[in-house]
Amino acid sequence: MGRHWDPTNCTIDNVQGGVIGLVHSVVNVTEWMQAEAELRASEVCKRTQTQELEAATHHFA
């Protein structure tokens, strides 16, 4: 299983506006990405069930 990361880079500026450093941080967003994928799959399933129900309802109407 792969991991998903969200990197961020921010500069550290001096009072003259020049860059004197860089802050690099990385956040593991694997669980968030998995939850998002599960939500999308659930939405597809619900949409399919709704379409099937509507088709069956129209068939009997």
Side-chain angles (χ1 to χ4, degrees):
M1 176 175 79
R3 295 280 177 209
H4 298 272
W5 304 95
D6 184 16
T8 302
N9 295 306
C10 298
T11 58
I12 302 171
D13 302 330
N14 62 18
V15 293
Q16 292 84 22
V19 176
I20 60 170
L22 180 70
V23 175
H24 176 75
S25 66
V26 180
V27 177
N28 183 344
V29 294
T30 303
E31 288 183 19
W32 181 82
M33 295 292 288
Q34 289 170 341
E36 188 177 70
E38 291 173 10
L39 177 60
R40 280 193 306 271
S42 174
E43 289 171 342
V44 168
C45 182
K46 183 176 180 176
R47 190 168 32 254
T48 301
Q49 290 173 341
T50 300
Q51 290 170 346
E52 291 172 353
L53 181 58
E54 287 174 349
T57 301
H58 290 287
H59 177 73
F60 291 109

